[in-house]
Amino acid sequence: MIYLDDDIDGFDLESALPLLSEQRRKQVLRFKYELGRKTCAMAYILLRRALHEEYGIDEAPMFEYGEHGKPYIVGHPDIHFNVSHCRQAVVCAVSDQPVGIDVESIREYKDSLVHYTMNEEEVSQIEHAERPDVEFIRLWTMKEAVLKLSGDGISNDLKTVLTGNEVIETTVVADKGYVWSVARRGN
């Protein structure tokens, strides 16, 4: 299940702080800027909501981390989740199977970044798209979601991330300036 919140300006950080675990509160307060604090707290609040609605869990989750930093919920190894945030939105995915999610702001891209991260077919897709900026971010979120699904983190060769062995859903919210993708393992 996917949970999304794109009302970052309306989020009351002070009211949310008591709802965070001590572990998450410390992480939130390490951010230098308010936007980072808000989006980090919002991601946790979305996860709490998802855990309540999907699994009836009301306690504040605590995290441990895998070899490459992918978090998992202590005491609930059967629940898989992933969160992401950008300037415009926060997303959370929860599932009984591994899942990866990424949200990114639509922004101008650099040709050098496109050629470093995309294979020839993807470069062609971007160059021939009506909105190359949106197409780049769409492909980027797909790659990030797949990497977060596997828990491997960003690899050295981003050109080969999308193998077709995964199921990826992408949503473009152009009017609000962001794109998000969720990845699950294919059958």
Side-chain angles (χ1 to χ4, degrees), residues 124-156:
S124 179
Q125 278 179 248
I126 293 165
E127 290 173 346
H128 292 93
E130 184 176 320
R131 294 263 326 257
D133 56 339
V134 172
E135 186 64 11
F136 172 73
I137 295 300
R138 187 184 75 80
L139 289 165
W140 180 263
T141 62
M142 291 170 66
K143 290 177 184 238
E144 279 275 341
V146 167
L147 291 169
K148 291 172 80 174
L149 166 69
S150 70
D152 292 335
I154 293 181
S155 69
N156 290 334

Short mmCIF file of all heavy atoms in Angstrom, two decimals, residues 124-156:
data_model
loop_
_atom_site.label_atom_id
_atom_site.label_comp_id
_atom_site.label_asym_id
_atom_site.label_seq_id
_atom_site.Cartn_x
_atom_site.Cartn_y
_atom_site.Cartn_z
N SER A 124 17.80 8.07 -25.36
CA SER A 124 16.92 8.34 -26.49
C SER A 124 15.50 8.67 -26.03
O SER A 124 14.87 9.61 -26.54
CB SER A 124 16.90 7.14 -27.44
OG SER A 124 16.05 7.40 -28.53
N GLN A 125 14.99 7.92 -25.04
CA GLN A 125 13.66 8.20 -24.49
C GLN A 125 13.60 9.63 -23.95
O GLN A 125 12.62 10.34 -24.18
CB GLN A 125 13.34 7.25 -23.33
CG GLN A 125 12.85 5.90 -23.72
CD GLN A 125 12.60 5.06 -22.48
OE1 GLN A 125 13.30 4.09 -22.25
NE2 GLN A 125 11.62 5.42 -21.68
N ILE A 126 14.62 10.03 -23.23
CA ILE A 126 14.67 11.37 -22.63
C ILE A 126 14.73 12.42 -23.72
O ILE A 126 13.96 13.40 -23.71
CB ILE A 126 15.87 11.49 -21.67
CG1 ILE A 126 15.65 10.59 -20.45
CG2 ILE A 126 16.10 12.95 -21.26
CD1 ILE A 126 16.89 10.36 -19.61
N GLU A 127 15.62 12.23 -24.69
CA GLU A 127 15.80 13.22 -25.74
C GLU A 127 14.56 13.40 -26.61
O GLU A 127 14.33 14.48 -27.13
CB GLU A 127 17.00 12.85 -26.61
CG GLU A 127 18.32 13.02 -25.88
CD GLU A 127 19.52 12.50 -26.67
OE1 GLU A 127 19.33 11.76 -27.67
OE2 GLU A 127 20.65 12.83 -26.26
N HIS A 128 13.76 12.34 -26.77
CA HIS A 128 12.58 12.40 -27.63
C HIS A 128 11.28 12.65 -26.86
O HIS A 128 10.20 12.69 -27.46
CB HIS A 128 12.47 11.12 -28.46
CG HIS A 128 13.56 11.01 -29.47
ND1 HIS A 128 14.74 10.34 -29.22
CD2 HIS A 128 13.67 11.52 -30.72
CE1 HIS A 128 15.52 10.43 -30.27
NE2 HIS A 128 14.91 11.15 -31.20
N ALA A 129 11.37 12.82 -25.56
CA ALA A 129 10.17 13.04 -24.75
C ALA A 129 9.66 14.47 -24.92
O ALA A 129 10.43 15.40 -25.18
CB ALA A 129 10.49 12.79 -23.28
N GLU A 130 8.36 14.62 -24.73
CA GLU A 130 7.76 15.95 -24.76
C GLU A 130 8.35 16.83 -23.66
O GLU A 130 8.58 18.01 -23.85
CB GLU A 130 6.24 15.83 -24.59
CG GLU A 130 5.51 17.15 -24.72
CD GLU A 130 4.01 16.98 -24.63
OE1 GLU A 130 3.48 16.00 -25.19
OE2 GLU A 130 3.37 17.82 -23.98
N ARG A 131 8.57 16.22 -22.49
CA ARG A 131 9.20 16.90 -21.34
C ARG A 131 10.42 16.09 -20.91
O ARG A 131 10.33 15.20 -20.07
CB ARG A 131 8.22 16.99 -20.16
CG ARG A 131 6.99 17.85 -20.34
CD ARG A 131 7.09 19.26 -19.78
NE ARG A 131 7.85 19.49 -18.60
CZ ARG A 131 7.34 19.68 -17.37
NH1 ARG A 131 6.05 19.62 -17.17
NH2 ARG A 131 8.15 19.94 -16.37
N PRO A 132 11.58 16.36 -21.50
CA PRO A 132 12.79 15.60 -21.14
C PRO A 132 13.10 15.65 -19.64
O PRO A 132 13.58 14.66 -19.08
CB PRO A 132 13.89 16.26 -21.96
CG PRO A 132 13.18 16.87 -23.13
CD PRO A 132 11.84 17.30 -22.59
N ASP A 133 12.81 16.77 -18.99
CA ASP A 133 13.07 16.88 -17.56
C ASP A 133 12.23 15.88 -16.77
O ASP A 133 12.72 15.21 -15.85
CB ASP A 133 12.83 18.31 -17.05
CG ASP A 133 11.43 18.84 -17.34
OD1 ASP A 133 10.75 18.33 -18.26
OD2 ASP A 133 11.00 19.79 -16.65
N VAL A 134 10.97 15.73 -17.15
CA VAL A 134 10.08 14.78 -16.49
C VAL A 134 10.50 13.35 -16.80
O VAL A 134 10.52 12.50 -15.91
CB VAL A 134 8.60 15.02 -16.90
CG1 VAL A 134 7.70 13.92 -16.36
CG2 VAL A 134 8.13 16.39 -16.41
N GLU A 135 10.85 13.08 -18.05
CA GLU A 135 11.26 11.72 -18.43
C GLU A 135 12.53 11.30 -17.69
O GLU A 135 12.65 10.16 -17.25
CB GLU A 135 11.46 11.63 -19.94
CG GLU A 135 11.74 10.24 -20.43
CD GLU A 135 10.60 9.24 -20.20
OE1 GLU A 135 9.48 9.65 -19.83
OE2 GLU A 135 10.84 8.04 -20.39
N PHE A 136 13.48 12.22 -17.53
CA PHE A 136 14.69 11.90 -16.78
C PHE A 136 14.34 11.54 -15.34
O PHE A 136 14.79 10.52 -14.81
CB PHE A 136 15.69 13.06 -16.80
CG PHE A 136 16.85 12.83 -15.88
CD1 PHE A 136 17.83 11.91 -16.20
CD2 PHE A 136 16.94 13.51 -14.67
CE1 PHE A 136 18.90 11.67 -15.35
CE2 PHE A 136 18.01 13.27 -13.81
CZ PHE A 136 18.99 12.36 -14.15
N ILE A 137 13.51 12.35 -14.69
CA ILE A 137 13.15 12.08 -13.30
C ILE A 137 12.33 10.80 -13.19
O ILE A 137 12.49 10.02 -12.24
CB ILE A 137 12.40 13.29 -12.68
CG1 ILE A 137 13.32 14.50 -12.60
CG2 ILE A 137 11.83 12.94 -11.31
CD1 ILE A 137 14.57 14.31 -11.75
N ARG A 138 11.48 10.54 -14.16
CA ARG A 138 10.70 9.29 -14.15
C ARG A 138 11.64 8.09 -14.16
O ARG A 138 11.52 7.18 -13.34
CB ARG A 138 9.76 9.25 -15.36
CG ARG A 138 8.79 8.07 -15.36
CD ARG A 138 7.97 8.03 -16.64
NE ARG A 138 8.74 7.57 -17.77
CZ ARG A 138 9.01 6.29 -18.04
NH1 ARG A 138 8.56 5.34 -17.25
NH2 ARG A 138 9.72 5.96 -19.09
N LEU A 139 12.60 8.10 -15.07
CA LEU A 139 13.56 6.98 -15.14
C LEU A 139 14.43 6.93 -13.88
O LEU A 139 14.74 5.84 -13.37
CB LEU A 139 14.42 7.10 -16.40
CG LEU A 139 13.68 6.81 -17.71
CD1 LEU A 139 14.50 7.29 -18.90
CD2 LEU A 139 13.36 5.33 -17.82
N TRP A 140 14.83 8.09 -13.38
CA TRP A 140 15.65 8.12 -12.17
C TRP A 140 14.91 7.52 -10.97
O TRP A 140 15.47 6.72 -10.23
CB TRP A 140 16.09 9.56 -11.85
CG TRP A 140 16.93 9.60 -10.62
CD1 TRP A 140 16.53 9.90 -9.35
CD2 TRP A 140 18.31 9.26 -10.53
NE1 TRP A 140 17.58 9.79 -8.47
CE2 TRP A 140 18.69 9.39 -9.17
CE3 TRP A 140 19.27 8.87 -11.46
CZ2 TRP A 140 19.98 9.14 -8.74
CZ3 TRP A 140 20.55 8.63 -11.02
CH2 TRP A 140 20.90 8.76 -9.67
N THR A 141 13.64 7.89 -10.79
CA THR A 141 12.88 7.34 -9.65
C THR A 141 12.69 5.84 -9.81
O THR A 141 12.68 5.11 -8.82
CB THR A 141 11.50 8.02 -9.46
OG1 THR A 141 10.68 7.82 -10.60
CG2 THR A 141 11.65 9.50 -9.12
N MET A 142 12.53 5.38 -11.04
CA MET A 142 12.41 3.94 -11.27
C MET A 142 13.68 3.22 -10.82
O MET A 142 13.63 2.20 -10.14
CB MET A 142 12.12 3.67 -12.76
CG MET A 142 10.75 4.13 -13.20
SD MET A 142 10.50 4.08 -15.01
CE MET A 142 10.60 2.31 -15.31
N LYS A 143 14.83 3.78 -11.20
CA LYS A 143 16.11 3.17 -10.82
C LYS A 143 16.30 3.19 -9.31
O LYS A 143 16.70 2.19 -8.71
CB LYS A 143 17.27 3.89 -11.52
CG LYS A 143 17.30 3.63 -13.02
CD LYS A 143 18.41 4.42 -13.71
CE LYS A 143 18.33 4.21 -15.19
NZ LYS A 143 19.56 3.67 -15.76
N GLU A 144 16.03 4.33 -8.70
CA GLU A 144 16.17 4.44 -7.24
C GLU A 144 15.24 3.46 -6.52
O GLU A 144 15.64 2.82 -5.55
CB GLU A 144 15.85 5.86 -6.77
CG GLU A 144 16.97 6.82 -6.94
CD GLU A 144 17.94 6.80 -5.77
OE1 GLU A 144 17.61 6.33 -4.68
OE2 GLU A 144 19.06 7.28 -5.98
N ALA A 145 14.01 3.34 -6.99
CA ALA A 145 13.05 2.42 -6.36
C ALA A 145 13.55 0.98 -6.47
O ALA A 145 13.46 0.21 -5.51
CB ALA A 145 11.67 2.56 -7.00
N VAL A 146 14.12 0.61 -7.61
CA VAL A 146 14.66 -0.74 -7.78
C VAL A 146 15.85 -0.96 -6.85
O VAL A 146 15.97 -2.01 -6.22
CB VAL A 146 15.04 -1.00 -9.26
CG1 VAL A 146 15.88 -2.26 -9.41
CG2 VAL A 146 13.78 -1.08 -10.12
N LEU A 147 16.72 0.02 -6.76
CA LEU A 147 17.88 -0.10 -5.86
C LEU A 147 17.44 -0.19 -4.40
O LEU A 147 18.01 -0.94 -3.61
CB LEU A 147 18.83 1.07 -6.06
CG LEU A 147 19.56 1.08 -7.40
CD1 LEU A 147 20.27 2.41 -7.62
CD2 LEU A 147 20.53 -0.08 -7.50
N LYS A 148 16.42 0.56 -4.03
CA LYS A 148 15.91 0.50 -2.67
C LYS A 148 15.17 -0.81 -2.41
O LYS A 148 15.18 -1.32 -1.30
CB LYS A 148 15.02 1.72 -2.39
CG LYS A 148 15.85 3.02 -2.34
CD LYS A 148 14.99 4.24 -2.27
CE LYS A 148 14.52 4.46 -0.86
NZ LYS A 148 13.78 5.72 -0.70
N LEU A 149 14.54 -1.36 -3.44
CA LEU A 149 13.90 -2.67 -3.34
C LEU A 149 14.93 -3.73 -2.97
O LEU A 149 14.73 -4.53 -2.06
CB LEU A 149 13.24 -3.04 -4.67
CG LEU A 149 12.80 -4.48 -4.87
CD1 LEU A 149 11.64 -4.82 -3.96
CD2 LEU A 149 12.43 -4.73 -6.33
N SER A 150 16.06 -3.72 -3.66
CA SER A 150 17.09 -4.73 -3.41
C SER A 150 17.86 -4.46 -2.13
O SER A 150 18.44 -5.37 -1.55
CB SER A 150 18.07 -4.78 -4.59
OG SER A 150 18.86 -3.60 -4.64
N GLY A 151 17.88 -3.20 -1.71
CA GLY A 151 18.64 -2.84 -0.52
C GLY A 151 20.12 -2.69 -0.79
O GLY A 151 20.92 -2.56 0.13
N ASP A 152 20.51 -2.70 -2.08
CA ASP A 152 21.93 -2.62 -2.43
C ASP A 152 22.48 -1.20 -2.48
O ASP A 152 23.69 -1.02 -2.53
CB ASP A 152 22.17 -3.27 -3.80
CG ASP A 152 21.95 -4.77 -3.75
OD1 ASP A 152 22.07 -5.36 -2.67
OD2 ASP A 152 21.65 -5.35 -4.82
N GLY A 153 21.63 -0.22 -2.51
CA GLY A 153 22.11 1.15 -2.62
C GLY A 153 22.52 1.46 -4.05
O GLY A 153 22.42 0.61 -4.94
N ILE A 154 23.00 2.67 -4.27
CA ILE A 154 23.38 3.07 -5.63
C ILE A 154 24.63 2.30 -6.05
O ILE A 154 25.64 2.30 -5.37
CB ILE A 154 23.62 4.59 -5.70
CG1 ILE A 154 22.30 5.33 -5.49
CG2 ILE A 154 24.25 4.98 -7.03
CD1 ILE A 154 22.39 6.83 -5.56
N SER A 155 24.51 1.67 -7.20
CA SER A 155 25.63 0.89 -7.74
C SER A 155 26.49 1.78 -8.60
O SER A 155 26.13 2.90 -8.93
CB SER A 155 25.10 -0.30 -8.55
OG SER A 155 24.47 0.19 -9.73
N ASN A 156 27.64 1.27 -8.97
CA ASN A 156 28.52 2.04 -9.84
C ASN A 156 27.97 2.17 -11.25
O ASN A 156 28.24 3.13 -11.93
CB ASN A 156 29.91 1.40 -9.89
CG ASN A 156 30.64 1.55 -8.58
OD1 ASN A 156 30.38 2.49 -7.83
ND2 ASN A 156 31.54 0.65 -8.28
#
